[in-house]
Amino acid sequence: MSCGSSETRASCCGGGSSSQDQINPNSATEVYDSVKDYYGKRLQGSDDLKTSACTTGASAMPRYIRQAIAEVHDEVVKRYYGCGLVVPQLLQDAHVLDLGSGAGRDCFVVSKLVGEKGKVVGVDMTEEQLQVARQHIEYHRDKFGLSKSNVEFRHGYIEKLGEAGLEDGTFDVIMSNCVINLVPDKEAVLRESYRVLRDGGELYFSDVYSSAIVPDDLRKDAVLWGECISGALYWEDLISLAKKVGFATPRLVRAAPIDMNTEEMQAKLGDLRFVSATYRLVKVPVSEQEAKSQKVTYNGGALNNPDELEFDQTVSFPAQTAVTVSAAVTAILRSSRFARYLSFADAPCCAPTPADPDLNPFVLSDRTPAAAASGGGCCGGGTGSSTDKDSTGCGPPAKKSCC
């Protein structure tokens, strides 16, 4: 979820690597070693970035998230190189998994949001970062007024969650920000995420996607891996992989363009385009897969989101207002944590069935004003709709870039 881990920072921030550097994109060992090399040796600063994959501006954050970030320990914040937070609404009492948790900033923020009955688990492959996170568990328990800590950190790889001891059907929400593009085996990440989610649970994540399959010669380029480019998934492949492992059709929440900072980089990529996008993938149980279009009303009153719930790029639920949704959305909502805040009623037989929106993030990115598109963490994730937002979005300390 965060861009705060060693592997993620290296990915997001790239660095001054020679264009001759090559890796085997199918070898997780080579990819991760290259990423660690970027972070530990090659990155000098944000001026070394060759794309905007990491510096897409953060959207304005709701006050409750800014307040939570402000309470995170200074050392943890210092070890976090990202900006923004990719987090969905309605996390109270939820069990949440953070893929690529780094030094734990986002885990600690979410630990406050889930409260006493919730739980947060962070997984990262870098022990040095995890040590920092673990040293501050008790500090945040006391800071947030919890009787016992609700957060823990485990060493592991996000495509091998079983090795980190994570069991089937454990989590309500999985979050990730600009990490999945690093992993050669994306299907394994989605399959493991599906396994550890409960029925109705969701993978809510931001990442980088390409307009076509990235050619092999570019996938071997270590600099482009460092820039979150070489490992980017063709967006249509995300849709097919998600369905293959069992998720319902993905829902596109928002998207923002990624710009190349140099003519050399643009020339290397040719006609390929890249975009950062936030999707939600939901594990819908068989019992709900035959749902029909219905009128859905948000009853209001949810903690931190009393007036409106955001679902995706076209669907939101103002409090006390009936909204007709498609059968696909109905199936997701009825099985999800949203259900306890919603009322469902049959749609009139003559009412038109809402069409599901285009899942192409480039279409959404092209029609979204730049100021609104630049949401969330390194990869443009965002935190969902809310009122009472400021212009910085990042919360203290405000940063112009992830680096």
Side-chain angles (χ1 to χ4, degrees):
M1 163 168 107
S2 79
C3 288
S5 63
S6 300
E7 70 269 31
T8 314
R9 284 305 335 124
S11 158
C12 284
C13 292
S17 162
S18 164
S19 61
Q20 281 73 43
D21 286 351
Q22 290 194 334
I23 57 174
N24 176 1
N26 298 314
S27 167
T29 299
E30 284 196 31
V31 170
Y32 292 148
D33 284 349
S34 175
V35 163
K36 291 176 181 178
D37 183 65
Y38 271 119
Y39 178 76
K41 300 177 182 178
R42 304 190 181 199
L43 176 64
Q44 300 300 314
S46 59
D47 289 342
D48 292 326
L49 292 169
K50 296 173 175 57
T51 78
S52 68
C54 183
T55 54
T56 300
S59 64
M61 286 186 186
R63 175 185 289 180
Y64 70 91
I65 291 181
R66 299 200 313 269
Q67 290 175 336
I69 292 175
E71 294 180 277
V72 174
H73 193 282
D74 288 345
E75 184 178 1
V76 173
V77 172
K78 183 173 65 175
R79 295 294 187 108
Y80 181 85
Y81 301 90
C83 185
L85 180 62
V86 178
V87 53
Q89 296 170 319
L90 302 185
L91 292 183
Q92 186 178 15
D93 301 338
H95 286 206
V96 180
L97 173 63
D98 179 0
L99 301 180
S101 57
R105 192 205 73 162
D106 293 351
C107 283
F108 291 126
V109 170
V110 174
S111 76
K112 180 176 183 180
L113 302 183
V114 302
E116 287 274 4
K117 296 180 181 179
K119 183 177 181 179
V120 183
V121 177
V123 173
D124 200 275
M125 75 174 189
T126 309
E127 280 288 3
E128 291 81 0
Q129 294 276 43
L130 293 173
Q131 288 175 10
V132 174
R134 288 166 179 152
Q135 289 169 3
H136 295 91
I137 288 176
E138 186 61 20
Y139 170 90
H140 291 95
R141 181 207 62 76
D142 182 65
K143 189 74 172 179
F144 298 150
L146 303 173
S147 60
K148 62 179 181 179
S149 178
N150 61 0
V151 62
E152 65 175 285
F153 297 93
R154 301 192 185 189
H155 180 263
Y157 295 87
I158 65 173
E159 71 273 41
K160 299 177 181 179
L161 297 176
E163 294 182 1
L166 301 185
E167 300 178 351
D168 296 358
T170 308
F171 296 98
D172 303 296
V173 177
I174 300 175
M175 299 187 293
S176 169
N177 186 11
C178 211
V179 174
I180 296 176
N181 73 82
L182 280 176
V183 181
D185 191 350
K186 272 77 167 172
E187 181 178 337
V189 177
L190 298 185
R191 186 171 56 249
E192 279 292 273
S193 296
Y194 186 88
R195 179 183 66 80
V196 302
L197 281 171
R198 295 170 175 165
D199 282 349
E202 71 169 334
L203 168 59
Y204 186 92
F205 69 112
S206 180
D207 221 300
V208 178
Y209 300 94
S210 58
S211 58
I213 296 174
V214 178
D216 286 344
D217 61 323
L218 296 181
R219 294 185 70 238
K220 295 176 182 178
D221 190 306
V223 171
L224 293 179
W225 268 101
E227 293 285 338
C228 293
I229 297 300
S230 287
L233 194 63
Y234 174 38
W235 74 269
E236 288 192 9
D237 286 343
L238 170 69
I239 310 304
S240 60
L241 285 177
K243 292 180 180 179
K244 180 179 179 181
V245 302
F247 285 109
T249 301
R251 312 301 302 192
L252 175 60
V253 180
R254 57 178 56 83
I258 291 174
D259 299 320
M260 302 303 130
N261 293 343
T262 67
E263 292 183 2
E264 177 186 3
M265 181 65 70
Q266 185 60 64
K268 181 182 291 188
L269 298 175
D271 294 332
L272 272 178
R273 299 174 61 202
F274 294 86
V275 68
S276 62
T278 300
Y279 286 92
R280 61 190 340 147
L281 309 184
V282 181
K283 183 177 181 177
V284 176
V286 174
S287 60
E288 294 291 349
Q289 291 178 5
E290 299 299 324
K292 298 180 180 180
S293 175
Q294 289 195 305
K295 290 195 301 181
V296 178
T297 302
Y298 170 43
N299 299 318
L303 181 66
N304 297 320
N305 302 105
D307 302 319
E308 185 176 22
L309 297 181
E310 178 193 61
F311 181 69
D312 65 14
Q313 57 174 307
T314 60
V315 179
S316 62
F317 300 96
Q320 309 303 330
T321 302
V323 178
T324 301
V325 299
S326 68
V329 174
T330 299
I332 289 173
L333 293 175
R334 289 178 66 93
S335 64
S336 74
R337 68 188 186 284
F338 285 73
R340 61 176 167 162
Y341 300 98
L342 304 174
S343 296
F344 297 85
D346 291 339
C349 60
C350 56
T353 300
D356 287 327
D358 195 329
L359 296 180
N360 185 341
F362 293 91
V363 172
L364 178 59
S365 175
D366 288 344
R367 70 169 185 252
T368 303
S374 58
C378 289
C379 300
T383 58
S385 61
S386 180
T387 57
D388 190 24
K389 302 173 181 178
D390 67 9
S391 60
T392 65
C394 293
K399 299 179 182 179
K400 292 179 65 177
S401 78
C402 289
C403 302

PDB file of all heavy atoms in Angstrom, residues 333-358:
ATOM      1  N   LEU A 333     -22.325  -5.049  -3.325  1.00  0.00           N
ATOM      2  CA  LEU A 333     -22.743  -4.318  -2.132  1.00  0.00           C
ATOM      3  C   LEU A 333     -23.400  -5.220  -1.098  1.00  0.00           C
ATOM      4  O   LEU A 333     -23.141  -5.104   0.105  1.00  0.00           O
ATOM      5  CB  LEU A 333     -23.695  -3.193  -2.522  1.00  0.00           C
ATOM      6  CG  LEU A 333     -23.098  -2.045  -3.342  1.00  0.00           C
ATOM      7  CD1 LEU A 333     -24.193  -1.067  -3.759  1.00  0.00           C
ATOM      8  CD2 LEU A 333     -22.011  -1.322  -2.552  1.00  0.00           C
ATOM      9  N   ARG A 334     -24.242  -6.124  -1.544  1.00  0.00           N
ATOM     10  CA  ARG A 334     -24.975  -6.984  -0.603  1.00  0.00           C
ATOM     11  C   ARG A 334     -24.034  -7.901   0.187  1.00  0.00           C
ATOM     12  O   ARG A 334     -24.352  -8.314   1.306  1.00  0.00           O
ATOM     13  CB  ARG A 334     -26.013  -7.814  -1.349  1.00  0.00           C
ATOM     14  CG  ARG A 334     -27.197  -7.000  -1.862  1.00  0.00           C
ATOM     15  CD  ARG A 334     -28.167  -7.879  -2.636  1.00  0.00           C
ATOM     16  NE  ARG A 334     -28.792  -8.845  -1.747  1.00  0.00           N
ATOM     17  CZ  ARG A 334     -29.966  -8.648  -1.119  1.00  0.00           C
ATOM     18  NH1 ARG A 334     -30.616  -7.508  -1.300  1.00  0.00           N
ATOM     19  NH2 ARG A 334     -30.482  -9.567  -0.329  1.00  0.00           N
ATOM     20  N   SER A 335     -22.879  -8.223  -0.403  1.00  0.00           N
ATOM     21  CA  SER A 335     -21.947  -9.128   0.269  1.00  0.00           C
ATOM     22  C   SER A 335     -20.838  -8.398   1.010  1.00  0.00           C
ATOM     23  O   SER A 335     -20.035  -9.026   1.700  1.00  0.00           O
ATOM     24  CB  SER A 335     -21.322 -10.084  -0.757  1.00  0.00           C
ATOM     25  OG  SER A 335     -20.544  -9.365  -1.706  1.00  0.00           O
ATOM     26  N   SER A 336     -20.782  -7.073   0.880  1.00  0.00           N
ATOM     27  CA  SER A 336     -19.641  -6.316   1.390  1.00  0.00           C
ATOM     28  C   SER A 336     -19.926  -5.703   2.751  1.00  0.00           C
ATOM     29  O   SER A 336     -21.051  -5.747   3.277  1.00  0.00           O
ATOM     30  CB  SER A 336     -19.295  -5.191   0.406  1.00  0.00           C
ATOM     31  OG  SER A 336     -20.261  -4.145   0.501  1.00  0.00           O
ATOM     32  N   ARG A 337     -18.902  -5.084   3.324  1.00  0.00           N
ATOM     33  CA  ARG A 337     -19.054  -4.380   4.603  1.00  0.00           C
ATOM     34  C   ARG A 337     -19.956  -3.160   4.463  1.00  0.00           C
ATOM     35  O   ARG A 337     -20.407  -2.580   5.458  1.00  0.00           O
ATOM     36  CB  ARG A 337     -17.680  -3.983   5.151  1.00  0.00           C
ATOM     37  CG  ARG A 337     -16.970  -2.907   4.335  1.00  0.00           C
ATOM     38  CD  ARG A 337     -15.538  -2.691   4.790  1.00  0.00           C
ATOM     39  NE  ARG A 337     -14.910  -1.574   4.099  1.00  0.00           N
ATOM     40  CZ  ARG A 337     -14.468  -1.616   2.848  1.00  0.00           C
ATOM     41  NH1 ARG A 337     -14.591  -2.749   2.154  1.00  0.00           N
ATOM     42  NH2 ARG A 337     -13.914  -0.557   2.282  1.00  0.00           N
ATOM     43  N   PHE A 338     -20.229  -2.705   3.225  1.00  0.00           N
ATOM     44  CA  PHE A 338     -21.142  -1.590   2.996  1.00  0.00           C
ATOM     45  C   PHE A 338     -22.573  -1.950   3.391  1.00  0.00           C
ATOM     46  O   PHE A 338     -23.374  -1.073   3.713  1.00  0.00           O
ATOM     47  CB  PHE A 338     -21.135  -1.202   1.515  1.00  0.00           C
ATOM     48  CG  PHE A 338     -19.918  -0.451   1.068  1.00  0.00           C
ATOM     49  CD1 PHE A 338     -18.703  -1.087   0.928  1.00  0.00           C
ATOM     50  CD2 PHE A 338     -19.978   0.906   0.761  1.00  0.00           C
ATOM     51  CE1 PHE A 338     -17.574  -0.408   0.505  1.00  0.00           C
ATOM     52  CE2 PHE A 338     -18.861   1.601   0.341  1.00  0.00           C
ATOM     53  CZ  PHE A 338     -17.649   0.949   0.207  1.00  0.00           C
ATOM     54  N   ALA A 339     -22.910  -3.249   3.333  1.00  0.00           N
ATOM     55  CA  ALA A 339     -24.308  -3.678   3.416  1.00  0.00           C
ATOM     56  C   ALA A 339     -25.008  -3.209   4.687  1.00  0.00           C
ATOM     57  O   ALA A 339     -26.192  -2.872   4.667  1.00  0.00           O
ATOM     58  CB  ALA A 339     -24.395  -5.199   3.289  1.00  0.00           C
ATOM     59  N   ARG A 340     -24.287  -3.185   5.802  1.00  0.00           N
ATOM     60  CA  ARG A 340     -24.948  -2.830   7.069  1.00  0.00           C
ATOM     61  C   ARG A 340     -25.373  -1.367   7.112  1.00  0.00           C
ATOM     62  O   ARG A 340     -26.161  -0.979   7.986  1.00  0.00           O
ATOM     63  CB  ARG A 340     -24.042  -3.151   8.250  1.00  0.00           C
ATOM     64  CG  ARG A 340     -22.715  -2.419   8.272  1.00  0.00           C
ATOM     65  CD  ARG A 340     -21.948  -2.743   9.551  1.00  0.00           C
ATOM     66  NE  ARG A 340     -20.565  -2.325   9.486  1.00  0.00           N
ATOM     67  CZ  ARG A 340     -19.790  -2.178  10.553  1.00  0.00           C
ATOM     68  NH1 ARG A 340     -20.285  -2.410  11.765  1.00  0.00           N
ATOM     69  NH2 ARG A 340     -18.532  -1.804  10.437  1.00  0.00           N
ATOM     70  N   TYR A 341     -24.867  -0.553   6.175  1.00  0.00           N
ATOM     71  CA  TYR A 341     -25.240   0.859   6.139  1.00  0.00           C
ATOM     72  C   TYR A 341     -26.261   1.159   5.036  1.00  0.00           C
ATOM     73  O   TYR A 341     -26.647   2.308   4.852  1.00  0.00           O
ATOM     74  CB  TYR A 341     -23.995   1.724   5.888  1.00  0.00           C
ATOM     75  CG  TYR A 341     -22.931   1.563   6.940  1.00  0.00           C
ATOM     76  CD1 TYR A 341     -21.838   0.720   6.736  1.00  0.00           C
ATOM     77  CD2 TYR A 341     -23.001   2.251   8.156  1.00  0.00           C
ATOM     78  CE1 TYR A 341     -20.850   0.571   7.700  1.00  0.00           C
ATOM     79  CE2 TYR A 341     -22.025   2.111   9.123  1.00  0.00           C
ATOM     80  CZ  TYR A 341     -20.944   1.268   8.885  1.00  0.00           C
ATOM     81  OH  TYR A 341     -19.971   1.124   9.854  1.00  0.00           O
ATOM     82  N   LEU A 342     -26.682   0.122   4.303  1.00  0.00           N
ATOM     83  CA  LEU A 342     -27.514   0.325   3.120  1.00  0.00           C
ATOM     84  C   LEU A 342     -28.872  -0.341   3.273  1.00  0.00           C
ATOM     85  O   LEU A 342     -29.031  -1.323   4.006  1.00  0.00           O
ATOM     86  CB  LEU A 342     -26.814  -0.255   1.881  1.00  0.00           C
ATOM     87  CG  LEU A 342     -25.410   0.256   1.571  1.00  0.00           C
ATOM     88  CD1 LEU A 342     -24.816  -0.522   0.397  1.00  0.00           C
ATOM     89  CD2 LEU A 342     -25.421   1.748   1.270  1.00  0.00           C
ATOM     90  N   SER A 343     -29.844   0.192   2.544  1.00  0.00           N
ATOM     91  CA  SER A 343     -31.148  -0.449   2.377  1.00  0.00           C
ATOM     92  C   SER A 343     -31.322  -0.796   0.912  1.00  0.00           C
ATOM     93  O   SER A 343     -30.958  -0.002   0.029  1.00  0.00           O
ATOM     94  CB  SER A 343     -32.274   0.490   2.832  1.00  0.00           C
ATOM     95  OG  SER A 343     -32.181   0.772   4.212  1.00  0.00           O
ATOM     96  N   PHE A 344     -31.885  -1.965   0.651  1.00  0.00           N
ATOM     97  CA  PHE A 344     -32.060  -2.440  -0.725  1.00  0.00           C
ATOM     98  C   PHE A 344     -33.547  -2.591  -1.024  1.00  0.00           C
ATOM     99  O   PHE A 344     -34.317  -3.072  -0.188  1.00  0.00           O
ATOM    100  CB  PHE A 344     -31.362  -3.787  -0.923  1.00  0.00           C
ATOM    101  CG  PHE A 344     -29.865  -3.737  -0.739  1.00  0.00           C
ATOM    102  CD1 PHE A 344     -29.307  -3.857   0.526  1.00  0.00           C
ATOM    103  CD2 PHE A 344     -29.032  -3.565  -1.830  1.00  0.00           C
ATOM    104  CE1 PHE A 344     -27.932  -3.813   0.704  1.00  0.00           C
ATOM    105  CE2 PHE A 344     -27.656  -3.528  -1.660  1.00  0.00           C
ATOM    106  CZ  PHE A 344     -27.107  -3.644  -0.393  1.00  0.00           C
ATOM    107  N   ALA A 345     -33.935  -2.192  -2.215  1.00  0.00           N
ATOM    108  CA  ALA A 345     -35.326  -2.336  -2.649  1.00  0.00           C
ATOM    109  C   ALA A 345     -35.345  -2.681  -4.128  1.00  0.00           C
ATOM    110  O   ALA A 345     -34.443  -2.296  -4.885  1.00  0.00           O
ATOM    111  CB  ALA A 345     -36.107  -1.050  -2.394  1.00  0.00           C
ATOM    112  N   ASP A 346     -36.359  -3.429  -4.536  1.00  0.00           N
ATOM    113  CA  ASP A 346     -36.464  -3.793  -5.949  1.00  0.00           C
ATOM    114  C   ASP A 346     -36.618  -2.545  -6.809  1.00  0.00           C
ATOM    115  O   ASP A 346     -37.374  -1.624  -6.465  1.00  0.00           O
ATOM    116  CB  ASP A 346     -37.661  -4.714  -6.183  1.00  0.00           C
ATOM    117  CG  ASP A 346     -37.463  -6.091  -5.559  1.00  0.00           C
ATOM    118  OD1 ASP A 346     -36.298  -6.451  -5.317  1.00  0.00           O
ATOM    119  OD2 ASP A 346     -38.473  -6.769  -5.302  1.00  0.00           O
ATOM    120  N   ALA A 347     -35.905  -2.532  -7.902  1.00  0.00           N
ATOM    121  CA  ALA A 347     -36.056  -1.433  -8.854  1.00  0.00           C
ATOM    122  C   ALA A 347     -37.346  -1.631  -9.641  1.00  0.00           C
ATOM    123  O   ALA A 347     -37.758  -2.773  -9.881  1.00  0.00           O
ATOM    124  CB  ALA A 347     -34.857  -1.396  -9.795  1.00  0.00           C
ATOM    125  N   PRO A 348     -38.026  -0.547 -10.044  1.00  0.00           N
ATOM    126  CA  PRO A 348     -39.231  -0.692 -10.865  1.00  0.00           C
ATOM    127  C   PRO A 348     -38.953  -1.514 -12.115  1.00  0.00           C
ATOM    128  O   PRO A 348     -37.865  -1.417 -12.708  1.00  0.00           O
ATOM    129  CB  PRO A 348     -39.583   0.763 -11.216  1.00  0.00           C
ATOM    130  CG  PRO A 348     -38.947   1.581 -10.133  1.00  0.00           C
ATOM    131  CD  PRO A 348     -37.687   0.851  -9.765  1.00  0.00           C
ATOM    132  N   CYS A 349     -39.904  -2.338 -12.498  1.00  0.00           N
ATOM    133  CA  CYS A 349     -39.670  -3.236 -13.629  1.00  0.00           C
ATOM    134  C   CYS A 349     -39.368  -2.489 -14.911  1.00  0.00           C
ATOM    135  O   CYS A 349     -38.707  -3.013 -15.808  1.00  0.00           O
ATOM    136  CB  CYS A 349     -40.872  -4.151 -13.827  1.00  0.00           C
ATOM    137  SG  CYS A 349     -42.405  -3.268 -14.165  1.00  0.00           S
ATOM    138  N   CYS A 350     -39.868  -1.268 -15.014  1.00  0.00           N
ATOM    139  CA  CYS A 350     -39.652  -0.512 -16.246  1.00  0.00           C
ATOM    140  C   CYS A 350     -38.420   0.379 -16.186  1.00  0.00           C
ATOM    141  O   CYS A 350     -38.087   1.063 -17.163  1.00  0.00           O
ATOM    142  CB  CYS A 350     -40.875   0.344 -16.561  1.00  0.00           C
ATOM    143  SG  CYS A 350     -41.322   1.460 -15.205  1.00  0.00           S
ATOM    144  N   ALA A 351     -37.753   0.414 -15.024  1.00  0.00           N
ATOM    145  CA  ALA A 351     -36.589   1.293 -14.879  1.00  0.00           C
ATOM    146  C   ALA A 351     -35.421   0.764 -15.695  1.00  0.00           C
ATOM    147  O   ALA A 351     -35.152  -0.444 -15.710  1.00  0.00           O
ATOM    148  CB  ALA A 351     -36.192   1.382 -13.410  1.00  0.00           C
ATOM    149  N   PRO A 352     -34.714   1.655 -16.399  1.00  0.00           N
ATOM    150  CA  PRO A 352     -33.544   1.209 -17.169  1.00  0.00           C
ATOM    151  C   PRO A 352     -32.432   0.716 -16.254  1.00  0.00           C
ATOM    152  O   PRO A 352     -32.219   1.264 -15.171  1.00  0.00           O
ATOM    153  CB  PRO A 352     -33.115   2.477 -17.920  1.00  0.00           C
ATOM    154  CG  PRO A 352     -33.642   3.605 -17.091  1.00  0.00           C
ATOM    155  CD  PRO A 352     -34.932   3.108 -16.502  1.00  0.00           C
ATOM    156  N   THR A 353     -31.773  -0.335 -16.663  1.00  0.00           N
ATOM    157  CA  THR A 353     -30.663  -0.872 -15.882  1.00  0.00           C
ATOM    158  C   THR A 353     -29.411  -0.045 -16.149  1.00  0.00           C
ATOM    159  O   THR A 353     -29.017   0.124 -17.306  1.00  0.00           O
ATOM    160  CB  THR A 353     -30.390  -2.337 -16.254  1.00  0.00           C
ATOM    161  OG1 THR A 353     -31.569  -3.106 -15.996  1.00  0.00           O
ATOM    162  CG2 THR A 353     -29.223  -2.889 -15.444  1.00  0.00           C
ATOM    163  N   PRO A 354     -28.790   0.484 -15.108  1.00  0.00           N
ATOM    164  CA  PRO A 354     -27.580   1.292 -15.328  1.00  0.00           C
ATOM    165  C   PRO A 354     -26.490   0.477 -16.011  1.00  0.00           C
ATOM    166  O   PRO A 354     -26.259  -0.688 -15.668  1.00  0.00           O
ATOM    167  CB  PRO A 354     -27.163   1.691 -13.905  1.00  0.00           C
ATOM    168  CG  PRO A 354     -28.390   1.531 -13.079  1.00  0.00           C
ATOM    169  CD  PRO A 354     -29.149   0.392 -13.689  1.00  0.00           C
ATOM    170  N   ALA A 355     -25.849   1.086 -16.971  1.00  0.00           N
ATOM    171  CA  ALA A 355     -24.744   0.419 -17.666  1.00  0.00           C
ATOM    172  C   ALA A 355     -23.495   0.478 -16.800  1.00  0.00           C
ATOM    173  O   ALA A 355     -23.236   1.482 -16.130  1.00  0.00           O
ATOM    174  CB  ALA A 355     -24.489   1.087 -19.009  1.00  0.00           C
ATOM    175  N   ASP A 356     -22.731  -0.599 -16.808  1.00  0.00           N
ATOM    176  CA  ASP A 356     -21.466  -0.575 -16.086  1.00  0.00           C
ATOM    177  C   ASP A 356     -20.476   0.309 -16.829  1.00  0.00           C
ATOM    178  O   ASP A 356     -20.414   0.296 -18.063  1.00  0.00           O
ATOM    179  CB  ASP A 356     -20.911  -1.991 -15.946  1.00  0.00           C
ATOM    180  CG  ASP A 356     -21.684  -2.812 -14.926  1.00  0.00           C
ATOM    181  OD1 ASP A 356     -22.160  -2.217 -13.939  1.00  0.00           O
ATOM    182  OD2 ASP A 356     -21.817  -4.038 -15.122  1.00  0.00           O
ATOM    183  N   PRO A 357     -19.670   1.097 -16.118  1.00  0.00           N
ATOM    184  CA  PRO A 357     -18.762   2.043 -16.770  1.00  0.00           C
ATOM    185  C   PRO A 357     -17.594   1.366 -17.454  1.00  0.00           C
ATOM    186  O   PRO A 357     -17.275   0.207 -17.185  1.00  0.00           O
ATOM    187  CB  PRO A 357     -18.272   2.910 -15.605  1.00  0.00           C
ATOM    188  CG  PRO A 357     -18.388   2.015 -14.412  1.00  0.00           C
ATOM    189  CD  PRO A 357     -19.597   1.162 -14.653  1.00  0.00           C
ATOM    190  N   ASP A 358     -16.963   2.094 -18.345  1.00  0.00           N
ATOM    191  CA  ASP A 358     -15.769   1.622 -19.034  1.00  0.00           C
ATOM    192  C   ASP A 358     -14.662   1.390 -18.019  1.00  0.00           C
ATOM    193  O   ASP A 358     -14.411   2.236 -17.153  1.00  0.00           O
ATOM    194  CB  ASP A 358     -15.331   2.680 -20.059  1.00  0.00           C
ATOM    195  CG  ASP A 358     -14.329   2.145 -21.074  1.00  0.00           C
ATOM    196  OD1 ASP A 358     -13.548   1.246 -20.721  1.00  0.00           O
ATOM    197  OD2 ASP A 358     -14.331   2.637 -22.213  1.00  0.00           O
TER     198      ASP A 358
END
